[in-house]
C-alpha cells in the first residue's frame, strides 16, 4: 500500500475512534459539559491532562526547535515539566477544595469582585487565543504534509476539523477521547524514536541511545553531532546557549509558572474526586508527559544528525539496498571532510521525503553556487575556520531551508522508516493538536459564556443560551486564531511560549496570592493582574506586532529587540509576574484589607477536610 | 484559623519549601547555572549539566510531586484534617 493511502487510513481510523468516544459520552447538562461531573480517576485524569497538555507545540514543534537550539532547547523541556511541580503544590489541591469550575470564578469569588473575574477573563482569553494560534500553526504543518497541499490550505482544513471536533462534545467526551488521543500520540512519538535509536546506536531505549556510541564505532553520538554541526558553522550542540544563561533562566521560569497559570490545565484538577487526588493527579500527568518529554531531546539530536547525514555523505550515514538509512562506521570514524565537493548530496538524487515536503513550501532548496548539489551549513557563522573552508569549497551560501516545525513529522521519513510509522506519526501530530485545541476552546467558551455573560452581562440567560454562547465563542476563537495562524508570530512552540508568558504574567500570581496571602485584597489583585498583563503584552507586541498583526511591531520604542537585559519576548512572562506581584503587594498595602468572610474562605481552602469552600453548583 | 490550623499550614509551607529547593536546584541550578561546570562529568555518555537540562530534571520533578503528595497525606492525617 502506498504511503498516502496508508496515512489516510491510519488518520481516518484514529479520527473515527475519537469521534466515536465523543459521541457515546456526549455532554448532557452544562455541568457535564465543563467538568465531567467531578468523578474521574487520578490516573485517567493524568493521562487526559497529558493529552490536553501535549499540543502541536510539544509533539510537532518542540523537538525541531531543540534540534536547532541544542542545549538551550532544554528550556522547553524543563519549563514545560517543572511547572507541574508548582501546579501540584501551589494551586491544584486548593483550587479543587475551593470547588469552582473555572479560574475566573475562583478569582471573582476569592477577590469578592466582578471586576476581578472580568479582568481574569481578559487574561485567560489573551493567553488561550495566543495558544490556539500556535496550535493552528502546528495543525497547518500537519495537514499540509498529510494532504500534500500548501501550508495555508493546511491551516484552513485544520480550522474546519478543530471546529467540528470541539463543538461536538464537552469535557466528558473530551476526557475519554483524550485518553485515546494520548495513547495514539505517545506511540506515534516513541516508536520512531526507538527505530532511530536502534539504527544509529543499536540501543532500543532512546533516552540511553542519545548518550551512546554510534553503532559499530567507539564514537559517541553527541560528540559526532557536536563535531558535524560545529564544522558546518553551527554552534556546538551540547553547549549552545540561547542568547545568555540569564535569558535561558528567565525563559524557563516563565514557562514553568505559565504552566501553572494556564486555565485549560488548571481546570483539569477540578475534575478529580478528592483534594489528595489533585496532588497525585499532577504527578501522574507528569509521568505521562515525561515519556514524550524525555524522548523529545533524543528525537531532536538524532533527527539533526540524520538530516545532516542525508544531505552530506561525509557524515557517515548512507542508504542501504533495502532503502534504509544506515551507519557507515568507517566514514563515521574517519571524520571525512564535510566540505569535499562530492560529499554534498546531488539535488536530483534527493530522497522522496524532501520532494514531499517541498510541496508544502516548508522545505526549500536554492542552488546558489549552481553545482546541482545541496549545501547545508551556517553561512552566517562567526566561526572563521568554517567560513574559510566553505569559501574554499566554492559554497556561496546555505542552500537548504528547513522549517523547524517539520522536523518531528519528517523525522521518520528522514530515517527512511517503514510507511506505517510515518502514517502513525501523522495521526499522532493531528491528535496532539486537536486534543489541546479542544481543551483550550472549552476554556475559552466557559470563560465567555459562564464567567462573562452569565455572571456579569446577563445573569438571567437560560442554560441553552449559555451553551449556545459558549459554542459561538469557540467559533470566533477558531476563526481569529486561524487567521493569525496563517502569518504566525513564530514557530508553533515559540507562539505557545508567548501564551505561557501571558498566563505567567497575569493569572499565576493572582491565583497564588489568592491562596497564600490571606490579606490580599481585590484592589491589589486587580491592579497586579492588569499590570502583569499590560507589561507582558507590551513587550511581546513590541516584537511580534500589535495583537500579532504583522507590520505593527514597535521594537524601536523599547530600544531595539530583546532590549530588556537580552530577554526574548517569549521569556518575558516571568518579568511580568514579578511586576504583577510587586504592584499587587504595593496596592494591597494602601487599601482596605479583605472582609472577614473572605479570610475565613482562604482558611477553609487551605484545609482538605470539609465541604467545598463555596457552593460548586451554578 | 485555630491553632491546629496554623500549625498545619506551617507544616505545609515547610514541606513546600523543601520540595521547591530541590525543584530549583535540579533545573535552574544543575541544568542552567552550574551547567558548564557539571559538563566536565559524564553520565551515561551525556555531559552531566546537559543531561540535567534535557533529561534529569524531568525525572526528579516526578519524584518531587509524588514525594510531596505522600508527605502531605501524612501531614493531613497528623493534624486530622484529611478527607474522610
Amino acid at each position: 500500500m502506498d504511503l498516502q493511502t496508508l496515512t489516510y487510513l491510519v488518520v481516518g481510523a484514529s479520527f473515527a475512534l475519537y469521534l466515536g468516544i465523543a459521541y457515546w459520552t456526549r455532554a448532557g447538562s452544562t455541568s457535564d459539559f465543563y467538568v465531567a461531573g467531578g468523578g474521574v480517576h487520578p490516573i485517567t485524569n493524568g493521562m487526559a491532562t497529558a493529552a490536553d497538555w501535549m499540543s502541536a507545540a510539544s509533539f510537532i514543534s518542540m523537538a525541531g526547535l531543540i534540534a536547532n537550539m541544542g542545549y538551550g532547547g532544554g528550556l522547553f523541556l524543563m519549563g514545560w515539566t517543572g511547572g507541574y511541580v508548582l501546579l501540584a503544590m501551589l494551586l491544584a489541591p486548593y483550587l479543587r477544595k475551593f470547588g469552582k469550575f473555572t479560574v475566573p470564578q475562583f478569582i471573582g469569588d476569592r477577590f469578592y469582585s466582578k471586576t476581578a473575574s472580568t479582568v481574569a477573563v481578559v487574561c485567560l482569553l489573551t493567553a488561550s487565543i495566543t495558544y490556539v494560534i500556535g496550535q493552528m500553526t502546528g495543525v497547518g504543518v500537519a495537514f499540509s504534509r498529510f494532504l500534500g497541499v500548501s501550508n495555508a490550505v493546511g491551516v484552513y482544513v485544520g480550522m474546519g476539523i478543530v471546529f467540528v471536533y470541539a463543538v461536538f462534545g464537552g469535557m466528558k467526551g473530551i476526557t475519554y477521547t483524550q485518553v485515546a488521543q494520548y495513547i495514539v500520540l505517545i506511540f506515534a512519538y516513541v516508536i520512531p524514536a526507538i527505530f532511530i535509536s536502534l539504527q544509529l546506536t543499536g540501543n532500543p531505549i532512546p533516552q540511553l541511545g542519545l548518550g551512546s556510541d554510534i553503532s559499530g564505532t567507539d564514537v559517541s553520538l553527541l560528540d559526532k553531532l557536536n563535531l558535524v554541526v560545529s564544522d558546518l558553522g553551527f554552534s556546538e550542540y551540547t553547549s549552545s546557549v540561547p542568547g545568555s544563561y540569564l535569558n535561558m533562566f528567565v525563559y524557563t521560569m516563565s514557562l514553568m509558572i505559565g504552566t501553572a497559570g494556564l486555565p485549560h490545565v488548571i481546570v483539569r484538577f477540578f475534575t478529580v474526586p478528592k483534594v489528595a487526588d489533585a496532588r497525585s493527579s499532577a504527578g501522574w500527568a507528569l509521568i505521562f508527559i515525561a515519556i514524550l518529554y524525555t524522548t523529545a531531546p533524543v528525537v531532536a539530536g538524532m533527527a539533526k544528525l540524520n538530516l545532516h547525514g542525508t544531505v552530506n555523505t561525509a557524515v557517515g550515514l548512507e542508504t542501504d539496498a533495502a532503502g534504509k538509512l544506515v551507519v557507515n562506521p568507517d566514514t563515521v570514524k574517519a571524520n571525512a571532510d564535510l566540505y569535499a565537493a562530492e560529499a554534498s548530496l546531488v539535488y536530483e538524487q534527493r530522497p522522496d521525503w524532501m520532494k514531499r515536503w517541498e510541496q508544502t513550501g516548508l522545505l526549500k532548496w536554492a542552488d546558489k553556487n549552481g553545482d546541482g548539489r545541496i549545501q547545508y551549513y551556517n553561512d552566517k557563522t562567526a566561526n572563521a575556520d568554517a567560513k574559510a573552508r566553505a569559501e574554499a569549497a566554492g559554497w556561496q551560501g546555505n542552500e537548504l531551508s528547513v522549517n523547524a516545525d517539520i522536523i518531528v513529522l519528517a523525522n521518520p521519513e528522514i530515517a527512511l522508516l517503514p510507511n506505517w510509522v510515518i502514517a502513525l506519526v501523522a495521526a499522532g501530530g493531528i491528535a496532539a493538536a486537536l486534543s489541546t485545541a479542544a481543551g483550550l476552546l472549552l476554556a475559552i467558551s466557559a470563560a465567555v459564556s459562564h464567567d462573562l455573560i452569565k455572571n456579569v452581562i446577563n445573569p438571567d440567560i437560560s442554560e441553552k443560551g449559555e451553551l449556545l454562547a459558549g459554542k459561538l465563542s469557540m467559533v470566533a476563537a477558531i476563526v481569529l486564531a486561524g487567521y493569525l495562524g496563517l502569518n504566525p508570530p513564530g514557530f508553533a512552540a515559540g507562539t505557545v511560549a508567548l501564551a505561557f508568558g501571558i498566563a505567567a504574567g497575569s493569572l499565576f500570581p493572582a491565583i497564588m496570592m489568592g491562596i497564600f496571602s490571606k490579606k490580599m485584597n481585590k484592589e491589589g489583585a486587580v491592579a497586579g493582574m492588569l499590570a502583569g498583563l499590560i507589561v507582558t503584552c507590551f513587550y511581546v507586541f513590541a516584537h511580534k506586532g500589535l495583537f500579532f498583526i504583522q507590520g505593527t511591531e514597535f521594537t524601536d520604542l523599547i530600544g531595539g529587540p530583546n532590549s530588556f537585559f537580552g530577554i526574548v519576548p517569549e521569556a518575558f512572562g516571568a518579568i511580568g509576574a514579578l511586576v504583577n506581584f510587586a504592584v499587587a503587594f504595593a496596592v494591597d498595602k494602601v487599601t482596605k484589607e479583605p472582609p472577614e468572610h473572605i479570610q475565613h474562605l482562604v482558611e477553609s481552602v487551605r484545609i482538605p477536610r470539609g465541604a467545598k469552600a463555596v457552593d460548586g453548583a451554578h | 484559623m485555630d491553632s491546629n490550623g496554623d500549625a498545619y499550614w506551617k507544616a505545609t509551607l515547610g514541606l513546600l519549601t523543601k520540595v521547591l529547593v530541590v525543584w530549583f536546584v535540579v533545573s535552574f541550578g544543575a541544568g542552567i547555572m552550574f551547567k558548564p561546570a557539571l559538563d566536565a562529568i559524564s553520565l551515561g555518555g551525556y555531559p552531566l549539566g546537559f543531561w540535567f537540562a534535557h533529561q534529569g530534571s524531568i525525572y526528579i520533578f516526578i519524584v518531587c510531586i509524588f514525594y510531596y503528595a505522600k508527605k502531605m497525606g501524612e501531614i493531613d492525617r497528623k493534624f486530622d484534617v484529611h478527607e474522610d
Side-chain angles (χ1 to χ4, degrees):
Chain A
M1 198 183 306
D2 75 334
L3 176 60
Q4 196 63 20
T5 320
L6 193 66
T7 312
Y8 279 124
L9 212 69
V10 174
V11 174
S14 65
F15 258 70
L17 178 71
Y18 312 144
L19 289 175
I21 297 174
Y23 180 76
W24 287 115
T25 57
R26 67 192 181 279
S29 71
T30 40
S31 136
D32 276 354
F33 187 77
Y34 297 126
V35 294
V40 181
H41 191 274
I43 297 186
T44 315
N45 194 53
M47 214 182 267
T49 308
D52 209 343
W53 176 247
M54 292 189 293
S55 61
S58 297
F59 189 100
I60 298 176
S61 182
M62 185 174 69
L65 289 189
I66 299 171
N68 278 354
M69 294 165 73
Y71 156 71
L75 62 91
F76 292 116
L77 298 166
M78 292 187 287
W80 280 334
T81 53
Y84 273 82
V85 180
L86 301 181
L87 193 57
M89 297 198 305
L90 303 180
L91 309 184
Y94 305 109
L95 291 175
R96 169 62 190 76
K97 175 68 193 298
F98 192 78
K100 279 284 187 177
F101 291 140
T102 69
V103 170
Q105 280 175 345
F106 168 76
I107 289 182
D109 284 6
R110 164 60 184 84
F111 296 111
Y112 48 97
S113 143
K114 284 197 170 159
T115 314
S117 86
T118 308
V119 171
V121 170
V122 173
C123 299
L124 185 153
L125 290 178
T126 316
S128 302
I129 290 173
T130 308
Y131 204 142
V132 183
I133 300 171
Q135 298 308 308
M136 286 301 169
T137 312
V139 168
V141 174
F143 279 105
S144 62
R145 165 64 191 82
F146 168 44
L147 302 171
V149 294
S150 75
N151 192 36
V153 176
V155 172
Y156 293 130
V157 173
M159 279 165 69
I161 290 180
V162 168
F163 168 73
V164 171
Y165 184 79
V167 175
F168 206 100
M171 185 70 121
K172 186 152 188 181
I174 288 173
T175 300
Y176 293 103
T177 314
Q178 286 185 332
V179 171
Q181 282 168 332
Y182 175 77
I183 294 167
V184 170
L185 80 85
I186 204 68
F187 274 101
Y189 206 84
V190 173
I191 287 175
I194 293 174
F195 267 106
I196 293 168
S197 181
L198 275 171
Q199 253 176 21
L200 288 176
T201 67
N203 195 324
I205 301 170
Q207 287 81 350
L208 300 178
L210 188 63
S212 305
D213 292 342
I214 295 177
S215 294
T217 71
D218 54 359
V219 180
S220 133
L221 190 145
L222 284 172
D223 286 347
K224 183 70 190 177
L225 181 58
N226 275 340
L227 189 70
V228 168
V229 297
S230 39
D231 262 8
L232 291 170
F234 300 96
S235 42
E236 196 180 66
Y237 190 76
T238 58
S239 53
S240 71
V241 177
S244 65
Y245 281 105
L246 173 71
N247 180 50
M248 182 161 171
F249 186 104
V250 178
Y251 203 144
T252 308
M253 185 62 87
S254 183
L255 296 184
M256 283 190 185
I257 59 183
T259 300
L262 270 175
H264 76 293
V265 179
I266 297 176
V267 79
R268 280 278 165 209
F269 297 95
F270 294 94
T271 65
V272 291
K274 293 195 299 180
V275 172
D277 295 337
R279 298 175 191 143
S280 59
S281 246
W284 285 110
L286 188 55
I287 287 185
F288 293 121
I289 291 166
I291 299 174
L292 189 142
Y293 270 66
T294 54
T295 309
V298 183
V299 170
M302 292 187 177
K304 193 173 178 89
L305 190 64
N306 276 343
L307 181 60
H308 282 293
T310 301
V311 296
N312 195 317
T313 54
V315 171
L317 301 179
E318 57 191 30
T319 315
D320 71 0
K324 272 172 51 184
L325 199 66
V326 293
V327 172
N328 180 334
D330 295 329
T331 323
V332 170
K333 280 190 281 197
N335 287 332
D337 182 11
L338 299 167
Y339 290 92
E342 67 283 3
S344 301
L345 181 73
V346 175
Y347 179 69
E348 288 308 324
Q349 291 170 7
R350 70 195 185 285
D352 288 341
W353 69 264
M354 292 181 86
K355 297 176 193 160
R356 292 194 286 262
W357 281 101
E358 278 171 329
Q359 286 178 353
T360 64
L362 299 169
L363 182 135
K364 290 191 200 91
W365 177 71
D367 194 8
K368 292 186 183 155
N369 64 350
D371 67 350
R373 288 172 182 269
I374 302 171
Q375 274 97 34
Y376 180 44
Y377 70 114
N378 181 10
D379 51 9
K380 293 176 190 67
T381 186
N383 176 342
D385 182 48
K387 212 168 202 156
R389 289 173 73 186
E391 267 169 34
W395 293 11
Q396 290 171 9
N398 174 41
E399 298 181 347
L400 186 70
S401 74
V402 183
N403 183 305
D405 280 350
I406 78 171
I407 293 288
V408 170
L409 291 175
N411 180 39
E413 301 176 81
I414 299 172
L416 306 175
L417 297 184
N419 281 350
W420 67 269
V421 180
I422 300 172
L424 184 63
V425 173
I430 292 168
L434 280 182
S435 61
T436 306
L440 282 163
L441 289 166
L442 200 75
I444 291 172
S445 87
V448 172
S449 66
H450 200 83
D451 303 326
L452 203 60
I453 297 181
K454 175 137 178 127
N455 285 355
V456 181
I457 300 174
N458 176 14
D460 299 328
I461 193 167
S462 66
E463 202 169 271
K464 224 172 151 185
E466 201 186 323
L467 275 177
L468 181 68
K471 291 188 174 173
L472 287 177
S473 55
M474 282 188 184
V475 176
I478 293 171
V479 172
L480 181 64
Y483 169 74
L484 293 168
L486 288 173
N487 289 303
F491 294 118
T495 309
V496 167
L498 292 170
F500 276 74
I502 294 166
S506 58
L507 290 170
F508 173 79
I511 305 172
M512 199 184 148
M513 289 183 292
I515 299 160
F516 287 85
S517 168
K518 217 183 341 182
K519 304 273 183 201
M520 182 51 64
N521 61 16
K522 67 175 175 193
E523 290 83 0
V526 169
M529 279 192 286
L530 284 175
L533 180 70
I534 290 168
V535 165
T536 311
C537 285
F538 180 79
Y539 196 75
V540 167
F541 290 160
H543 290 82
K544 304 288 182 183
L546 215 48
F547 299 100
F548 305 116
I549 295 163
Q550 280 192 333
T552 57
E553 299 84 0
F554 48 93
T555 39
D556 291 346
L557 204 66
I558 59 165
N562 309 337
S563 54
F564 190 82
F565 296 102
I567 289 168
V568 297
E570 287 84 353
F572 202 73
I575 309 295
L578 278 183
V579 171
N580 186 332
F581 278 120
V583 168
F585 280 109
V587 172
D588 180 57
K589 274 269 175 290
V590 296
T591 44
K592 230 172 46 215
E593 73 171 41
E596 198 68 13
H597 74 275
I598 292 296
Q599 302 192 29
H600 286 305
L601 177 74
V602 176
E603 282 168 6
S604 78
V605 164
R606 289 175 178 181
I607 287 172
R609 180 174 297 166
K612 288 180 173 177
V614 293
D615 181 9
H618 291 270
Chain B
M1 204 181 277
D2 53 26
S3 62
N4 185 54
D6 282 339
Y8 170 76
W9 190 241
K10 220 177 137 199
T12 305
L13 294 181
L15 174 63
L16 208 82
T17 313
K18 267 201 296 193
V19 180
L20 282 180
V21 167
V22 175
W23 163 84
F24 186 86
V25 166
V26 295
S27 50
F28 296 98
I32 299 178
M33 291 186 291
F34 308 121
K35 185 262 179 194
L38 288 175
D39 273 358
I41 306 166
S42 164
L43 180 84
Y46 286 97
L48 189 58
F50 175 82
W51 181 80
F52 267 108
H54 278 217
Q55 298 275 313
S57 50
I58 302 175
Y59 301 124
I60 298 169
F61 291 153
I62 296 175
V63 176
C64 279
I65 296 181
F66 281 104
Y67 175 81
Y68 164 79
K70 184 170 165 284
K71 285 286 166 189
M72 269 316 285
E74 287 169 16
I75 294 176
D76 286 354
R77 278 185 294 279
K78 184 175 161 204
F79 290 92
D80 194 31
V81 293
H82 56 286
E83 302 151 285
D84 1 287

